[in-house]
Amino acid sequence: MTSPDPKAFDTLPLSAATLATLQQLGYAAMTPVQAAALPLALAGHDLIAQAQTGSGKTAAFALALLARLDMQRTDTQALVLCPTRELADQVALEVRRLARAASNVKVLVLCGGAPIKPQADSLAHGAHVVVGTPGRLIDHLERGTLVLDALQTLVLDEADRMLDMGFMDDIASIASRAPKARQTLLFSATYPEGIQQLAKKFLREPKEVSLTQRPGSQQIRQRWYEVTEEERLHAVGLLLNHWRPASTLAFCNTKQQCRDLVDVLQAQGISALALHGDLEQRDRDQVLVRFTNRSCSVLVATDVAARGLDIAQLEAVINVEITPDVEVHTHRIGRTGRAGESGWAFSLASLEEMGRVGRIEQLQGQAPDFHPLAELTSSDSTPLQPPMVTIQILGGRKEKIRAGDVLGALTKDAGIPGAQVGKINVNDFSTYVAVARTVARQAEQALNNKPVKGKRVKARVLE
Ligand code: AMP
C-alpha cells in the first residue's frame, strides 16, 4: 500500500473547486511552509509562522482565510495587514487567484497613497477580504467605513517589517476592533522581541511553525567578481550579456548609483529601470508593472525601495556593491531561486569591500567563489532584450476597462494569438498590457484603431 504524499494539497480539507484551481495554477505540491501551516490553520488554530517571501506563505494564509468565508454574507470576514502597498497588492493578487473557483469573492486593497473616497465607496458595496497597510486601515476604521464586527481571520503578514516600520500601535488598535473569537495568523521572517509581544497580546494559544532551512536556499548559485570602481557599472552589462537572465534585480547602495547604473545599461541597449524612494507613486507602479510583466530586463533598486517586493521568476540578483550589513546580503540573494526554480546571485566586490566579503563568508560558512571579469564574454552580439513589450493604454478602471476587454481587442479583433499576450494590469487611469516583442507594433496599432469596450483609446509602446 502506498501512503498518500504528505505534501499533496488533496490531503487537506479543501473544496474540490479549490483543489482544481491549485492544479490550474500549477501548484503541484505544498511548499514546506504550506505543508506545516495549512493543516493547523484549516483546523482553526492561531499560528506564528516563520516564513520569508518566496516560501509560498501567501497561499498558506490565503487558503485558510478563503476556506472560512461565508459567501451568504457581504461583511468583511478576513483582514490582512501588510507593511507596504506593494506587498498588499501582491497578496491581493494571490488571494484573487486562489479564490477564482468560488464565485464573487470580493478582495479590496486599502493602502495610503490612493484617494480615500473611492475606497470608502468600494467598502460600502461590501468586501469579503480586505488587504491593506495599517495607517490607511485605521483611517477607515475611524471613519466607520470599515467595520470588523464579522471578522473571522486576521493575518499579520511580514510582522517583523511592520514592527520595524513602527506599526506596533496601529496593529494593536486594529486588532482591538476585531472580535476576540477570531483566528489570527502571524507570518514573520524573523523573531525579534517585539514579535513575541505581539503574539502574546493578540494570539490565542498559537501553534508555532518554523522551518530551520530556508526553502530554496540551495538553489541559489553565487558567483563573485573582483572589480575596480571604474569597472563596476560596466561589469553589470558584461554579466547580463554573458548570462542573459530574463529578469534581474540589481541592488545599489544609493539612489545616485541606481540612476548612474540605469544610464550605463540603457546606453548599452539593455532595458533597465530604477526603483527608488524619489519616484512618484504612479511612476513606481509603472516601473513595477513593466518589470514584473517581463518587458524590462533589469530593475535597479536600493534595499529600501525593494522592501516587500515579491517578484516571481527572478533569474538573477546582482549586488552592484557589497552591502555593509551581512543580513541584508542574505536577504538580497534570497529573492532569486524561489518556488523550486534556480537562480543566480552575482556580487561585484572591490578590494575595499573585501572585509565585508569576509563577514558574509563567515555567516554563510562558505568561501566566496571568485571568478575573473575576463571570463564574461558574450556569445551573442545583440544586447540582452526582454521577451515582452509593454503597451500603455490611457484609460483604466475609471473608464471601466477590464483585462478581458483588452485581451478581446487583441485576440478577437486584431487576431493576435492569446499566447503572445502577457500580463494585463488595469490601474485607475492606465492599463498596461504586455505583448510579445514580435507583435508589439501590430498590437499598438490595433488598440489605437479599434474601440476597446466601445470606446476609442490611445495606446503607446513604452520603451
Ligand atoms: P509567496 O512566498 O507567497 O510570496 O509565494 C512565492 C511564489 O510562489 C508566488 O508566486 C506563488 O504564486 C508561488 N507559489 C505558492 N505556493 C506554491 C506551490 N505550492 N507551488 C508552486 N508555486 C507556489
Side-chain angles (χ1 to χ4, degrees):
M1 226 178 78
T2 51
S3 57
D5 178 353
K7 295 216 168 149
F9 278 105
D10 62 9
T11 56
L12 299 171
L14 292 171
S15 68
T18 301
L19 290 173
T21 302
L22 289 165
Q23 203 172 12
Q24 277 170 18
L25 291 173
Y27 292 14
M30 286 188 254
T31 64
V33 70
Q34 290 164 355
L38 273 167
L40 294 166
L42 289 168
H45 291 287
D46 280 8
L47 279 192
I48 305 182
Q50 182 182 20
Q52 319 231 3
T53 310
S55 59
K57 68 182 163 74
T58 318
F61 62 73
L63 288 169
L65 69 85
L66 287 170
R68 293 180 69 139
L69 290 187
D70 175 356
M71 294 304 297
Q72 306 302 319
R73 313 185 56 148
T74 54
D75 2 32
T76 299
Q77 296 162 52
L79 176 66
V80 184
L81 303 190
C82 297
T84 63
R85 194 186 126 149
E86 277 79 25
L87 185 67
D89 282 336
Q90 279 151 9
V91 165
L93 207 67
E94 180 83 345
V95 175
R96 287 192 187 112
R97 255 203 297 253
L98 292 167
R100 225 158 38 186
S103 53
N104 295 325
V105 175
K106 284 191 66 182
V107 181
L108 187 63
V109 175
L110 299 179
C111 293
I116 199 157
K117 174 79 170 54
Q119 294 181 344
D121 293 345
S122 301
L123 278 167
H125 285 104
H128 302 104
V129 182
V130 169
V131 184
T133 46
R136 181 54 63 96
L137 291 170
I138 294 216
D139 270 0
H140 281 290
L141 287 167
E142 282 174 354
R143 287 162 187 247
T145 42
L146 174 64
V147 177
L148 300 181
D149 294 350
L151 201 79
Q152 298 269 7
T153 317
L154 175 66
V155 180
L156 309 178
D157 192 12
E158 300 204 353
D160 50 354
R161 291 236 177 260
M162 289 201 281
L163 293 184
D164 279 351
M165 293 165 80
F167 284 139
M168 182 72 170
D169 293 346
D170 289 353
I171 296 171
S173 154
I174 293 165
S176 70
R177 294 174 200 240
K180 286 218 156 43
R182 60 163 195 262
Q183 182 181 31
T184 308
L185 307 173
L186 182 156
F187 284 76
S188 189
T190 58
Y191 283 158
E193 173 67 11
I195 293 292
Q196 294 305 331
Q197 279 176 25
L198 256 188
K200 257 196 222 123
K201 272 199 193 143
F202 305 113
L203 275 65
R204 295 193 308 177
E205 298 173 37
K207 303 270 183 206
E208 290 201 19
V209 170
S210 92
L211 303 168
T212 39
Q213 204 196 355
R214 190 169 137 29
S217 59
Q218 66 281 27
Q219 312 262 17
I220 303 167
R221 291 169 291 181
Q222 291 203 64
R223 276 192 183 219
W224 296 73
Y225 298 87
E226 189 185 324
V227 291
T228 61
E229 286 312 326
E230 293 70 45
E231 286 168 333
R232 197 186 291 275
L233 298 187
H234 183 67
V236 177
L238 292 177
L239 276 171
L240 293 167
N241 281 328
H242 179 82
W243 294 101
R244 306 189 85 76
S247 285
T248 300
L249 183 55
F251 284 101
C252 291
N253 289 353
T254 64
K255 286 179 217 165
Q256 187 54 47
Q257 194 176 39
C258 287
R259 291 191 202 98
D260 294 345
L261 179 58
V262 166
D263 289 346
V264 168
L265 292 176
Q266 285 181 347
Q268 295 176 13
I270 294 175
S271 144
L273 293 169
L275 189 72
H276 53 69
D278 289 352
L279 291 183
E280 299 270 341
Q281 189 67 47
R282 224 181 258 196
D283 295 332
R284 192 179 157 82
D285 288 345
Q286 192 183 95
V287 166
L288 283 174
V289 163
R290 291 173 67 182
F291 184 65
T292 51
N293 73 14
R294 296 172 89 71
S295 66
C296 158
S297 305
V298 192
L299 183 68
V300 180
T302 56
D303 292 295
V304 175
R307 250 191 200 175
L309 285 188
D310 168 29
I311 300 152
Q313 281 194 297
L314 200 53
E315 278 82 5
V317 163
I318 300 180
N319 292 301
V320 179
E321 281 181 311
I322 307 307
T323 149
D325 184 334
V326 183
E327 300 235 340
V328 169
H329 179 84
T330 311
H331 203 79
R332 283 177 171 185
I333 68 169
R335 289 169 171 279
T336 184
R338 282 185 184 169
E341 305 273 328
S342 59
W344 283 108
F346 303 115
S347 302
L348 302 176
S350 66
L351 271 181
E352 290 71 42
E353 289 168 326
M354 290 303 166
R356 295 175 181 180
V357 177
R359 285 199 297 280
I360 291 169
E361 176 179 359
Q362 268 179 348
L363 183 90
Q364 296 184 336
Q366 193 185 354
D369 180 17
F370 267 98
H371 288 255
L373 265 192
E375 209 178 81
L376 301 176
T377 50
S378 176
S379 51
D380 195 336
S381 56
T382 47
L384 177 70
Q385 273 198 331
M388 309 298 277
V389 166
T390 298
I391 301 177
Q392 179 184 25
I393 300 168
L394 303 178
R397 236 177 262 129
K398 297 281 177 221
E399 282 74 29
K400 308 227 175 326
I401 291 184
R402 289 177 318 171
D405 305 326
V406 178
L407 187 64
L410 290 172
T411 53
K412 288 209 197 77
D413 303 343
I416 293 172
Q420 311 261 47
V421 182
K423 268 197 188 173
I424 301 174
N425 293 78
V426 186
N427 293 0
D428 281 349
F429 302 101
S430 268
T431 300
Y432 300 94
V433 52
V435 295
R437 183 161 291 279
T438 44
V439 297
R441 293 293 160 195
Q442 185 192 347
E444 182 189 30
Q445 258 182 5
L447 290 169
N448 276 313
N449 294 334
K450 302 237 161 97
V452 176
K453 197 143 198 193
K455 265 193 240 139
R456 290 244 160 215
V457 295
K458 275 213 162 82
R460 63 184 179 119
V461 165
L462 297 179
E463 292 279 20

